[in-house]
Amino acid sequence: MTRSQLKNESVDAVWFRPPKTLTTSVLVAGIIGLLLVVLGYWTSNEGWRRLQLGYLVAFAYVLSLSLGSLFFVLIQHLMRAGWSVAIRRPAEIFGFNIICVAVLAIPIGWFVWQGELYPWAKYGDQVESASEHGVSFARHVSIDELAKGSKHPSDTVHGSGAKGHEAGHGHDLYIHQKVDELTQSKANWLNRPGFLLRMVLYFAIWFGLVGFYWRQSQAQDRSVQGIAQTLSMERWAGPALIVFAVTLTLASFDWLMSLDPHWYSTIFGVYFFAGCTVGALALNLLVLQWMGKDSPLTKNVSIEHRRDLGRLLFAFVFFWGYIAFSQYLLLWYANVPETTRWFVIRGASTATGYANSWGWLLVALLFGNFILPFLGLMSRHVKSSPRAVRFWTLWLLVMHYLDLYWLVMPELGPSFTIGPIEIGCWITVFSIWLMSAVGLATQISLIPIGDPRLDESLRLVDAY
Amino acid sequence: MSNESNELTNQTTTGVPELASLPAVPTSLFAIPDDQKPLALLADFGTVIEVMSAAEKLRDADFSVWDVHAPLPIHGINHSMGLRPTILPWITLGHGLVGCAFGLILVWWMNATSVSFVPTELQGYPFLVSGKPIFSLPANVPVIFETTILFAAIGTLLGLLGLNKQPMLFNPLNKSQLLRRATMDRFVVVVYAEDPKFQLEDCMAFLQKLAPDQIELVLEPR
């Protein structure tokens, strides 16, 4: 059988006509979200700061869904996968929707330009010398001095030996929010023009990636055989993934990790990526489940596709837990004040005077984003049941939001806060992103009819 | 018989030779020596499509102790054969849970206990590492994780062997020339004599209707 014979001529393009209920409900949700933001802004003391942080969470959420979908497309081409061809289009649409995310990034850039949101972005050269706060850094104390019995400076600040320090340490825990020498020392990377320039660069690169796969795939639909496009998409999948990994890592460093400029974790990019993939797979699976009910996709996308996607989701749920724990374990073991503080602020400590109510969110994530969905998605029967799949994908989409929330919001202070501002930001931004995705979805056939492997995908049968 | 079989032949996939052109079943097959009894009937097919349609007919005829041998994995053969889902995942899960509990008890006993009523070699050895608690879960998770994986993997392997009745050092079917081809280029359906529906003549007739290229009877000592 030659490759041209593989091409299935009998499948027609499937055009998405968004039902009125969908567009109205997304629109209404967006307006409700906006009202919630306004309401929360007027009733909260820290409204402006909360709005900025809440917006960052919402932005990171839609960004992660787009990036995760792009990753799904790339990995399918890299692996020359046949099974996923029929369900690749939604992921291509969500990935291409990164153009909407780029527009949503403008407020972030504006916050930074105003010298807000990130501690390092502050204007003025009022560098607060660390010693003014009774803090000096380890590099000021030589090993010889330490050997002679000098006290290690960090002992008085964050260390476990801080006796009688409980009352005042709250101030010290948030010291990274002041512009101090340590933050200044990273100014070569963390500065306003550099941040904005990199933001433009990341989005330019992502435009290039999603644009290439979108255009090739669309051209394939119109082509006779489509082999040239498939080969070209496969050829570029490898380099594209490398570029994707580097930009995603650096972007997560810039936008999420630098909220605490003192902190560093080399696995952070992978952590964000794991969240991206869980969120995107859950969304794609939910969309397929929803579309499968009464749409032309029904006859093309079978339960086999959804079950296989569910298996990928199950794997990445575990991957998220694995990476999250790896990050925690290393920082916990090393117990370096600079790096443990990030976890202490986020509620990971149970020591007297260090525990805070963000810990409940951390426990909720441990169970809600890892243990429960891991056990819940394990069974084949769950992955075959539409109701169970709908439940778990929605659950994971909410948990993914809380995951990002946990990364960002504890910068506010030591008590767990969630309110109309944050939820409103989330709903509004997600609605805008969804509206844009719906618009894009009407521009392209929901089945890549030109892909030579479409027939293979439609004939997908479970191996066991 | 010929009328009936012609009907069936027309239904089967193209490419199967007409039944009339098939070699007649040698009557010598039925001349079973007194010290032997039938073990299984083998029917041999040339393509995946043929063997799958044959499997569907056997499934619909409620045969229960039968199998399909193929030189390559056939996706969807489980549906064609009407196989129930395997219980192997449960075996894996059970072993994984046991491994998890074993790992937890192992690190607890070795790191966090020190009792005198057992021999020294079996006693725990509490050791303070960088000021962490003697029994601290984060440090133990990697060990627990590894024992969980190890037990689950071993359990899966042993469960797989057990469910497939392996290792089986001798099987009378090995003598069949037809079955050897099933490791190269032929697809072979095996209906065992232990099947409650197995009646040699009826079963032979049934298999013939499936239009195989060849049928073989394998005997075993009584």
Side-chain angles (χ1 to χ4, degrees):
Chain A
M1 202 184 280
T2 65
R3 285 186 91 160
S4 57
Q5 277 174 299
L6 283 171
K7 179 148 169 166
N8 191 335
E9 306 291 346
S10 66
V11 178
D12 296 324
V14 176
W15 294 98
F16 180 57
R17 284 176 204 84
K20 255 224 152 58
T21 47
L22 176 73
T23 42
T24 13
S25 51
V26 172
L27 201 66
V28 168
I31 292 167
I32 290 175
L34 215 55
L35 289 176
L36 280 176
V37 173
V38 174
L39 176 80
Y41 186 75
W42 285 111
T43 53
S44 166
N45 296 330
E46 285 181 293
W48 185 232
R49 175 94 173 127
R50 279 179 66 180
L51 180 63
Q52 289 183 347
L53 290 175
Y55 186 82
L56 180 63
V57 181
F59 163 74
Y61 187 74
V62 292
L63 174 77
S64 69
L65 296 181
S66 274
L67 286 180
S69 299
L70 171 62
F71 170 72
F72 180 75
V73 174
L74 290 179
I75 205 85
Q76 300 311 319
H77 286 300
L78 187 76
M79 294 294 146
R80 299 189 163 169
W83 70 273
S84 62
V85 169
I87 59 165
R88 212 183 53 215
R89 257 313 139 71
E92 279 173 3
I93 291 165
F94 290 133
F96 193 62
N97 205 20
I98 209 155
I99 50 171
C100 169
V101 182
V103 176
L104 290 167
I106 292 171
I108 305 280
W110 186 68
F111 293 149
V112 168
W113 194 247
Q114 297 293 305
E116 290 172 59
L117 188 56
Y118 300 99
W120 50 263
K122 285 175 185 160
Y123 275 98
D125 39 20
Q126 72 282 23
V127 179
E128 299 178 53
S129 165
S131 52
E132 282 172 34
H133 298 276
V135 185
S136 54
F137 292 102
R139 57 195 159 97
H140 297 309
V141 183
S142 69
I143 292 172
D144 294 336
E145 284 173 273
L146 283 173
K148 281 177 200 144
S150 279
K151 214 170 168 203
H152 194 288
S154 62
D155 280 354
T156 60
V157 191
H158 331 283
S160 50
K163 285 205 179 63
H165 212 276
E166 281 84 7
H169 82 87
H171 167 77
D172 294 320
L173 271 180
Y174 294 89
I175 189 159
H176 62 277
Q177 292 184 354
K178 304 198 185 315
V179 183
D180 59 15
E181 289 166 4
L182 187 56
T183 303
Q184 283 271 309
S185 71
K186 301 182 180 183
N188 282 340
W189 182 267
L190 294 177
N191 56 71
R192 284 179 300 274
F195 179 90
L196 296 174
L197 211 65
R198 287 195 302 275
M199 187 177 245
V200 172
L201 185 70
Y202 299 147
F203 277 110
I205 290 172
W206 292 334
F207 282 177
L209 293 184
V210 296
F212 173 75
Y213 281 91
W214 177 270
R215 270 184 284 108
Q216 290 284 312
S217 197
Q218 208 173 26
Q220 197 174 40
D221 279 1
R222 293 188 298 264
S223 72
V224 184
Q225 295 219 322
I227 292 171
Q229 284 88 352
T230 289
L231 288 177
S232 138
M233 286 194 281
E234 282 169 359
R235 198 171 299 129
W236 285 104
L241 260 176
I242 294 172
V243 172
F244 170 84
V246 172
T247 47
L248 179 139
T249 306
L250 293 180
S252 70
F253 285 1
D254 272 8
W255 299 340
L256 294 171
M257 199 167 94
S258 78
L259 281 167
D260 181 344
H262 289 192
W263 187 63
Y264 51 90
S265 166
T266 45
I267 208 174
F268 189 79
V270 186
Y271 180 88
F272 180 65
F273 158 73
C276 286
T277 316
V278 169
L281 289 176
L283 180 70
N284 276 289
L285 187 50
L286 183 64
V287 164
L288 286 176
Q289 195 76 65
W290 174 75
M291 297 271 256
K293 217 171 56 180
D294 41 18
S295 88
L297 267 183
T298 321
K299 63 183 191 323
N300 295 319
V301 174
S302 70
I303 189 161
E304 312 276 359
H305 295 104
R306 294 200 293 268
R307 193 154 49 206
D308 280 355
L309 204 54
R311 285 173 183 143
L312 256 183
L313 178 62
F314 169 71
F316 272 94
V317 163
F318 194 85
F319 182 70
W320 179 88
Y322 188 90
I323 295 300
F325 179 76
S326 301
Q327 172 169 283
Y328 174 73
L329 180 70
L330 293 192
L331 297 180
W332 172 83
Y333 237 129
N335 206 11
V336 178
E338 258 162 54
T339 50
T340 46
R341 189 185 48 227
W342 188 85
F343 269 110
V344 171
I345 292 169
R346 278 155 185 79
S349 174
T350 51
T352 326
Y354 289 89
N356 67 37
S357 50
W358 291 102
W360 296 109
L361 182 56
L362 185 52
V363 173
L365 279 177
L366 172 66
F367 283 91
N369 206 12
F370 176 45
I371 296 178
L372 294 181
F374 173 69
L375 296 173
L377 281 169
M378 194 182 275
S379 163
R380 183 173 191 269
H381 303 286
V382 170
K383 289 185 282 258
S384 317
S385 146
R387 279 178 66 189
V389 164
R390 213 171 300 139
F391 170 77
W392 280 116
T393 49
L394 275 172
W395 172 279
L396 282 170
L397 280 170
V398 173
M399 277 298 157
H400 175 50
Y401 172 73
L402 290 179
D403 177 28
L404 294 168
Y405 196 86
W406 178 77
L407 290 179
V408 172
M409 292 308 284
E411 293 298 324
L412 263 185
S415 52
F416 175 73
T417 321
I418 193 162
I421 295 189
E422 293 85 6
I423 295 173
C425 274
W426 179 32
I427 296 176
T428 310
V429 170
F430 190 45
S431 301
I432 294 171
W433 184 83
L434 219 52
M435 209 54 147
S436 162
V438 167
L440 284 176
T442 58
Q443 303 299 309
I444 195 165
S445 162
L446 289 186
I447 298 278
I449 48 168
D451 195 302
R453 290 204 181 87
L454 180 59
D455 199 39
E456 181 187 343
S457 176
L458 295 179
R459 282 191 278 105
L460 178 67
V461 178
D462 206 329
Y464 95 105
Chain B
M1 159 130 187
S2 66
N3 281 340
E4 199 185 338
S5 53
N6 274 336
E7 262 175 50
L8 267 158
T9 324
N10 292 338
Q11 285 170 15
T12 49
T13 331
T14 50
V16 178
E18 289 287 319
L19 198 62
S21 70
L22 284 174
V25 178
T27 45
S28 62
L29 270 181
F30 295 96
I32 302 167
D34 283 345
D35 58 338
Q36 305 249 298
K37 60 175 181 169
L39 172 76
L41 268 173
L42 276 60
D44 155 76
F45 299 87
T47 67
V48 171
I49 296 169
E50 285 168 32
V51 81
M52 277 179 94
S53 98
E56 276 157 24
K57 297 209 174 79
L58 275 154
R59 174 195 68 192
D60 295 341
D62 286 333
F63 280 94
S64 50
V65 191
W66 59 287
D67 208 348
V68 173
H69 294 262
L72 50 92
I74 307 176
H75 282 200
I77 192 74
N78 49 342
H79 299 303
S80 301
M81 291 178 69
L83 294 179
R84 278 169 294 131
T86 167
I87 62 157
L88 191 60
W90 293 102
I91 297 176
T92 308
L93 179 67
H95 280 82
L97 291 175
V98 170
C100 184
F102 172 79
L104 188 62
I105 293 168
L106 180 80
V107 283
W108 168 76
W109 179 264
M110 290 165 99
N111 287 343
T113 66
S114 177
V115 289
S116 51
F117 58 82
V118 290
T120 322
E121 299 81 29
L122 298 177
Q123 280 176 17
Y125 188 68
F127 195 76
L128 194 65
V129 180
S130 70
K132 301 288 192 292
I134 287 292
F135 184 73
S136 44
L137 208 52
N140 299 337
V141 164
V143 176
I144 298 169
F145 178 72
E146 295 300 341
T147 53
T148 308
I149 303 288
L150 181 70
F151 276 56
I154 292 176
T156 309
L157 178 65
L158 294 181
L160 192 70
L161 292 177
L163 291 177
N164 285 308
K165 302 189 180 73
Q166 296 295 329
M168 190 187 285
L169 296 180
F170 175 72
N171 187 334
L173 277 180
N174 290 352
K175 288 186 292 190
S176 158
Q177 291 299 317
L178 256 190
L179 203 64
R180 289 190 184 182
R181 294 287 296 277
T183 62
M184 292 187 294
D185 58 348
R186 304 297 293 180
F187 302 87
V188 177
V189 170
V190 181
V191 183
Y192 289 92
E194 18 176 331
D195 192 309
K197 285 199 63 151
F198 187 91
Q199 288 293 327
L200 187 54
E201 288 78 11
D202 294 353
C203 188
M204 179 81 85
F206 186 88
L207 287 179
Q208 271 191 314
K209 283 183 218 159
L210 302 177
D213 293 348
Q214 235 178 315
I215 289 181
E216 185 185 344
L217 175 67
V218 176
L219 300 173
E220 66 174 335
R222 202 172 271 278

